[in-house]
Amino acid sequence: MLFVCTGNICRSAMAERVLASRVAAAGGGVLVRSAGTRAVVGRGMSSQTRPLVRANGGDPDGFIARQLDEPMLREADLILGMTAEHCERAASLEPSAFARIFPLMEFGRAAAETALPGQPNDADRWRGLLASAVELRRAGRLRPATDDDVADPYGKSDSAFTEMASRVVPVIDLLAGSGVRQ
Protein backbone atom coordinates (compact mmCIF):
# COMPACT_ATOMS: atom_id res chain seq x y z
CA MET A 1 0.00 0.00 0.00
CA LEU A 2 1.30 3.42 -0.95
CA PHE A 3 -0.04 6.81 0.15
CA VAL A 4 0.82 9.81 -2.02
CA CYS A 5 0.74 13.56 -1.36
CA THR A 6 2.95 16.47 -2.36
CA GLY A 7 5.82 16.86 0.11
CA ASN A 8 5.42 13.53 1.95
CA ILE A 9 5.78 15.22 5.32
CA CYS A 10 2.13 15.83 6.34
CA ARG A 11 -0.84 13.98 4.78
CA SER A 12 0.69 10.84 3.29
CA ALA A 13 3.19 10.60 6.15
CA MET A 14 0.34 10.64 8.67
CA ALA A 15 -1.69 8.08 6.73
CA GLU A 16 1.34 5.78 6.45
CA ARG A 17 2.26 5.87 10.11
CA VAL A 18 -1.30 5.61 11.46
CA LEU A 19 -2.21 2.67 9.21
CA ALA A 20 1.17 1.03 9.85
CA SER A 21 0.41 1.13 13.58
CA ARG A 22 -2.96 -0.60 12.98
CA VAL A 23 -1.26 -3.25 10.82
CA ALA A 24 1.51 -3.80 13.39
CA ALA A 25 -1.03 -4.14 16.22
CA ALA A 26 -2.73 -6.90 14.22
CA GLY A 27 0.54 -8.78 13.73
CA GLY A 28 2.07 -7.10 10.67
CA GLY A 29 2.31 -8.58 7.22
CA VAL A 30 1.09 -5.67 5.05
CA LEU A 31 3.68 -3.14 3.90
CA VAL A 32 2.53 0.47 4.24
CA ARG A 33 4.61 3.22 2.61
CA SER A 34 4.24 6.80 1.39
CA ALA A 35 5.86 9.18 -1.05
CA GLY A 36 5.47 12.67 -2.46
CA THR A 37 5.04 14.01 -5.96
CA ARG A 38 7.39 16.86 -4.99
CA ALA A 39 8.83 15.35 -1.84
CA VAL A 40 11.05 17.14 0.58
CA VAL A 41 13.40 14.17 0.22
CA GLY A 42 15.18 13.13 3.39
CA ARG A 43 13.18 15.40 5.69
CA GLY A 44 11.30 14.12 8.69
CA MET A 45 7.58 14.50 9.30
CA SER A 46 6.38 18.08 9.87
CA SER A 47 6.44 19.25 13.48
CA GLN A 48 2.68 19.94 13.36
CA THR A 49 1.90 16.43 12.05
CA ARG A 50 4.02 14.53 14.58
CA PRO A 51 1.77 15.07 17.65
CA LEU A 52 -1.33 14.20 15.63
CA VAL A 53 0.25 10.96 14.47
CA ARG A 54 1.12 10.10 18.09
CA ALA A 55 -2.40 11.05 19.29
CA ASN A 56 -3.80 8.58 16.76
CA GLY A 57 -1.55 5.69 17.74
CA GLY A 58 1.19 6.11 15.15
CA ASP A 59 4.92 6.60 15.56
CA PRO A 60 6.43 9.56 13.69
CA ASP A 61 10.00 8.77 14.76
CA GLY A 62 12.39 7.81 12.00
CA PHE A 63 10.09 8.91 9.19
CA ILE A 64 11.94 10.16 6.10
CA ALA A 65 10.21 11.77 3.10
CA ARG A 66 10.62 9.99 -0.25
CA GLN A 67 10.06 11.01 -3.86
CA LEU A 68 7.41 9.08 -5.77
CA ASP A 69 8.88 6.97 -8.58
CA GLU A 70 7.86 4.27 -11.04
CA PRO A 71 9.26 1.28 -9.09
CA MET A 72 7.21 2.27 -6.01
CA LEU A 73 4.08 2.44 -8.14
CA ARG A 74 4.77 -0.91 -9.81
CA GLU A 75 5.34 -2.61 -6.44
CA ALA A 76 2.29 -1.19 -4.66
CA ASP A 77 -0.89 -3.27 -4.64
CA LEU A 78 -2.93 -0.15 -3.82
CA ILE A 79 -2.07 3.54 -4.30
CA LEU A 80 -4.09 6.16 -2.41
CA GLY A 81 -3.59 9.81 -3.29
CA MET A 82 -4.61 12.66 -1.06
CA THR A 83 -5.97 14.58 -4.06
CA ALA A 84 -7.06 13.87 -7.62
CA GLU A 85 -3.87 15.63 -8.77
CA HIS A 86 -1.74 13.14 -6.84
CA CYS A 87 -3.61 10.27 -8.47
CA GLU A 88 -3.16 11.80 -11.92
CA ARG A 89 0.57 12.25 -11.31
CA ALA A 90 0.93 8.65 -10.15
CA ALA A 91 -0.95 7.36 -13.21
CA SER A 92 1.18 9.48 -15.54
CA LEU A 93 4.37 8.06 -14.00
CA GLU A 94 3.16 4.46 -14.20
CA PRO A 95 0.10 4.01 -16.45
CA SER A 96 -0.05 0.27 -15.72
CA ALA A 97 -0.98 1.14 -12.11
CA PHE A 98 -4.12 3.10 -13.08
CA ALA A 99 -6.61 0.48 -11.83
CA ARG A 100 -4.90 0.47 -8.41
CA ILE A 101 -4.93 4.27 -7.93
CA PHE A 102 -7.70 6.00 -6.00
CA PRO A 103 -8.14 9.18 -4.01
CA LEU A 104 -8.14 8.22 -0.32
CA MET A 105 -11.61 9.61 0.34
CA GLU A 106 -13.11 7.89 -2.71
CA PHE A 107 -11.56 4.56 -1.74
CA GLY A 108 -12.94 5.08 1.76
CA ARG A 109 -16.46 5.38 0.32
CA ALA A 110 -15.94 2.14 -1.60
CA ALA A 111 -14.68 0.40 1.54
CA ALA A 112 -17.70 1.62 3.51
CA GLU A 113 -20.00 0.20 0.85
CA THR A 114 -18.07 -3.07 0.69
CA ALA A 115 -17.83 -3.51 4.46
CA LEU A 116 -15.47 -6.50 4.41
CA PRO A 117 -14.70 -7.77 7.91
CA GLY A 118 -11.15 -8.59 8.81
CA GLN A 119 -7.91 -7.33 10.21
CA PRO A 120 -5.66 -4.58 8.81
CA ASN A 121 -2.90 -7.16 8.24
CA ASP A 122 -5.15 -9.42 6.10
CA ALA A 123 -3.80 -9.14 2.54
CA ASP A 124 -6.87 -10.97 1.19
CA ARG A 125 -9.12 -8.33 2.76
CA TRP A 126 -7.12 -5.55 1.05
CA ARG A 127 -7.36 -7.39 -2.29
CA GLY A 128 -11.12 -7.70 -1.75
CA LEU A 129 -11.47 -3.99 -1.00
CA LEU A 130 -9.49 -3.13 -4.14
CA ALA A 131 -11.49 -5.52 -6.32
CA SER A 132 -14.74 -4.08 -4.99
CA ALA A 133 -13.59 -0.50 -5.58
CA VAL A 134 -12.52 -1.35 -9.13
CA GLU A 135 -15.90 -2.97 -9.80
CA LEU A 136 -17.78 0.00 -8.32
CA ARG A 137 -15.72 2.32 -10.53
CA ARG A 138 -16.41 0.21 -13.64
CA ALA A 139 -20.13 0.14 -12.88
CA GLY A 140 -20.16 3.94 -12.56
CA ARG A 141 -21.14 3.75 -8.89
CA LEU A 142 -17.88 5.21 -7.57
CA ARG A 143 -17.36 8.74 -8.78
CA PRO A 144 -15.23 11.61 -7.56
CA ALA A 145 -16.92 13.92 -5.06
CA THR A 146 -16.32 17.64 -4.74
CA ASP A 147 -14.73 17.20 -1.31
CA ASP A 148 -12.47 14.21 -2.09
CA ASP A 149 -9.26 16.22 -1.90
CA VAL A 150 -7.60 16.37 1.51
CA ALA A 151 -6.27 19.92 1.78
CA ASP A 152 -2.54 20.41 2.29
CA PRO A 153 -1.99 21.92 5.74
CA TYR A 154 1.69 22.71 5.16
CA GLY A 155 2.56 26.25 6.18
CA LYS A 156 -0.83 26.80 7.78
CA SER A 157 -2.16 26.96 11.33
CA ASP A 158 -2.50 24.05 13.72
CA SER A 159 -6.23 24.01 12.97
CA ALA A 160 -5.47 23.13 9.33
CA PHE A 161 -3.46 20.13 10.55
CA THR A 162 -6.25 19.12 12.91
CA GLU A 163 -8.74 19.36 10.01
CA MET A 164 -6.44 17.18 7.86
CA ALA A 165 -6.22 14.56 10.62
CA SER A 166 -9.98 14.65 11.16
CA ARG A 167 -10.44 13.65 7.52
CA VAL A 168 -7.60 11.14 7.15
CA VAL A 169 -7.79 9.15 10.39
CA PRO A 170 -11.45 8.03 10.17
CA VAL A 171 -10.82 6.70 6.66
CA ILE A 172 -7.67 4.91 7.86
CA ASP A 173 -9.69 3.36 10.69
CA LEU A 174 -12.38 2.29 8.23
CA LEU A 175 -9.78 0.75 5.94
CA ALA A 176 -8.13 -0.96 8.90
CA GLY A 177 -11.44 -2.63 9.70
CA SER A 178 -12.22 -0.78 12.93
CA GLY A 179 -14.97 1.29 11.34
CA VAL A 180 -16.56 -1.45 9.25
CA ARG A 181 -20.02 -2.74 10.01
CA GLN A 182 -19.77 -6.50 10.51
Side-chain angles (χ1 to χ4, degrees):
M1 161 141 351
L2 179 66
F3 292 102
V4 179
C5 73
T6 305
N8 191 217
I9 58 172
C10 302
R11 295 167 289 178
S12 62
M14 176 171 213
E16 173 193 329
R17 289 304 176 102
V18 171
L19 182 57
S21 72
R22 308 301 193 259
V23 169
V30 172
L31 180 61
V32 182
R33 299 171 61 182
S34 65
T37 59
R38 292 189 313 259
V40 187
V41 176
R43 184 167 163 207
M45 193 177 295
S46 81
S47 61
Q48 290 167 289
T49 303
R50 293 174 67 81
L52 295 169
V53 168
R54 277 196 185 94
N56 287 286
D59 181 4
D61 294 339
F63 179 87
I64 301 294
R66 299 176 325 140
Q67 178 64 39
L68 182 67
D69 62 24
E70 294 90 343
M72 284 179 202
L73 292 163
R74 281 192 295 271
E75 294 168 9
D77 293 329
L78 175 61
I79 300 130
L80 298 172
M82 295 297 150
T83 69
E85 181 183 326
H86 298 131
C87 294
E88 290 164 10
R89 178 68 180 136
S92 72
L93 277 174
E94 186 56 48
S96 68
F98 175 77
R100 302 185 319 271
I101 301 171
F102 291 85
L104 173 67
M105 303 308 282
E106 182 179 301
F107 194 80
R109 288 193 307 279
E113 188 168 323
T114 304
L116 289 176
Q119 295 296 313
N121 66 337
D122 181 352
D124 287 335
R125 180 176 177 279
W126 286 107
R127 281 189 282 277
L129 289 172
L130 176 58
S132 178
V134 167
E135 184 53 38
L136 288 169
R137 181 189 272 169
R138 283 186 185 141
R141 294 179 38 217
L142 185 61
R143 296 183 183 264
T146 57
D147 66 342
D148 274 350
D149 287 354
V150 177
D152 189 354
Y154 187 73
K156 298 180 180 154
S157 69
D158 288 347
S159 65
F161 282 82
T162 301
E163 172 64 20
M164 176 266 298
S166 74
R167 297 202 66 215
V168 170
V169 173
V171 177
I172 296 302
D173 286 339
L174 176 72
L175 298 178
S178 55
V180 178
R181 295 177 295 280
Q182 299 185 26

